[in-house]
Amino acid sequence: MSTDDNQDEARRFRSSPTGPAVAAPRMPAAPPPAPPVRTTGRKRNFWSIAVFVLLASGIGIRAYRDLSRPDAWDYWKDQYLSPSLTASLVAKAYLGSPDPGRRALLVSGTIGPAAANLFRERLDEARLATGDLVLLSSPGGDLGQAVIMGEIIRSRGLATAAGTADASGRVKPAYCASACVLIYAGGKPRFGVLGSALGVHRFVTTRATSDPVADTQRVAGAVLGYMTKMGVSSSVVEAMSETRDIRWLAPKEALAMNLITDPLSKP
């Protein structure tokens, strides 16, 4: 086909006798190149999932190990489900008519296996300062937790008293027995509320042991060392060793042991 024929053919497409002018047909353009496959996102997702699985496995293994320990369920229950110890802030607690009042944390209930953690958290929330008061009303409980709580009280320079508080903040009598007395011993000073009672008894281990006598002696030695550190006479340990039942100390007796350091009335 000649050049003229090509031009005639193009003119025929540009001016159609039966309709508007149309353009000459063109060859279809080549399809655009496919975009490169991006794998960065997939790799990122893979590593995110892998890290999550590792973390979840670590937490699961740790939880299994924790729960496989003796008394672990008791600790978890006391820590997260139903704490046996309660603590509430008293904005102004009054120990007597001349007392101007001070902030206090009222602690009551049984000293459970996670009591020290709860106690520390409540103290942090209450923001008690040196000289503020911890009011105790407890039948006792875990010996080790009580020692930790007493150490916390001493490290923060807090006072202690066996008692509760009414709606007006006036301190009322209560009892503090067994391991509670170790918490009370952490206070400086330790107030003696009229009508309140401090009770002691021999501490024994509840776990299985091959030599219960040696274990009892070990516990007694630990209690003696703790009480001596807190400035309490060793005679309190002698009073504890006399009976497995609660022995309620007379106010004069507790004062002579230096367990009570500041009686609020004449014993």
Side-chain angles (χ1 to χ4, degrees), residues 58-94:
I59 294 172
I61 292 171
R62 181 178 178 182
Y64 173 79
R65 288 175 178 173
D66 288 345
L67 290 174
S68 65
R69 297 199 319 264
D71 302 326
W73 168 244
D74 291 336
Y75 178 88
W76 277 59
K77 180 181 177 183
D78 196 51
Q79 176 75 20
Y80 301 109
L81 300 180
S82 56
S84 55
L85 198 71
T86 61
S88 56
L89 178 64
V90 180
K92 281 284 186 180
Y94 301 93

Side-chain angles (χ1 to χ4, degrees), residues 143 147 178 181-182 185 199-204 215-245 247 249 253-254 256-259:
L143 175 65
V147 168
S178 186
V181 174
L182 276 70
V200 298
H201 69 96
R202 184 187 314 138
F203 288 102
V204 295
D215 203 57
T216 300
Q217 290 175 344
R218 180 188 60 80
V219 172
V223 172
L224 175 60
Y226 170 79
M227 286 297 201
T228 302
K229 179 181 178 181
M230 295 303 168
V232 183
S233 170
S234 60
S235 58
V236 71
V237 178
E238 296 173 10
M240 290 176 179
S241 63
E242 291 176 359
T243 177
R244 294 187 62 174
D245 298 324
R247 176 186 166 185
L249 301 175
E253 192 176 12
M257 295 174 177
N258 207 39
L259 185 57

Side-chain angles (χ1 to χ4, degrees), residues 43-258:
K43 288 183 178 179
R44 187 180 296 114
N45 290 338
F46 169 78
W47 285 113
S48 298
I49 294 172
V51 170
F52 173 78
V53 170
L54 289 174
L55 288 174
S57 301
I59 294 172
I61 292 171
R62 181 178 178 182
Y64 173 79
R65 288 175 178 173
D66 288 345
L67 290 174
S68 65
R69 297 199 319 264
D71 302 326
W73 168 244
D74 291 336
Y75 178 88
W76 277 59
K77 180 181 177 183
D78 196 51
Q79 176 75 20
Y80 301 109
L81 300 180
S82 56
S84 55
L85 198 71
T86 61
S88 56
L89 178 64
V90 180
K92 281 284 186 180
Y94 301 93
L95 290 166
S97 54
D99 186 21
R102 69 193 76 199
R103 288 165 65 83
L105 190 69
L106 174 59
V107 178
S108 59
T110 303
I111 305 162
N117 280 340
L118 182 143
F119 179 65
R120 185 183 290 105
E121 290 172 1
R122 296 297 178 269
L123 277 179
D124 291 341
E125 292 169 2
R127 297 182 179 179
L128 297 190
T130 300
D132 285 340
L133 181 65
V134 176
L135 287 170
L136 297 165
S137 175
S138 170
D142 190 291
L143 175 65
Q145 295 292 300
V147 168
I148 297 172
M149 293 167 71
E151 295 277 10
I152 293 171
I153 289 172
R154 180 56 60 91
S155 69
R156 301 194 184 200
L158 303 174
T160 54
T164 59
D166 60 20
S168 65
R170 191 160 59 99
V171 174
K172 310 288 287 183
Y175 69 89
C176 174
S178 186
C180 177
V181 174
L182 276 70
I183 303 175
Y184 175 80
K188 190 175 182 179
R190 297 182 284 269
F191 293 108
V193 176
L194 181 64
S196 289
L198 298 169
V200 298
H201 69 96
R202 184 187 314 138
F203 288 102
V204 295
T205 182
T206 56
R207 63 184 180 183
T209 177
S210 59
D211 193 343
V213 174
D215 203 57
T216 300
Q217 290 175 344
R218 180 188 60 80
V219 172
V223 172
L224 175 60
Y226 170 79
M227 286 297 201
T228 302
K229 179 181 178 181
M230 295 303 168
V232 183
S233 170
S234 60
S235 58
V236 71
V237 178
E238 296 173 10
M240 290 176 179
S241 63
E242 291 176 359
T243 177
R244 294 187 62 174
D245 298 324
I246 297 293
R247 176 186 166 185
W248 299 103
L249 301 175
K252 285 185 178 180
E253 192 176 12
L255 187 61
M257 295 174 177
N258 207 39

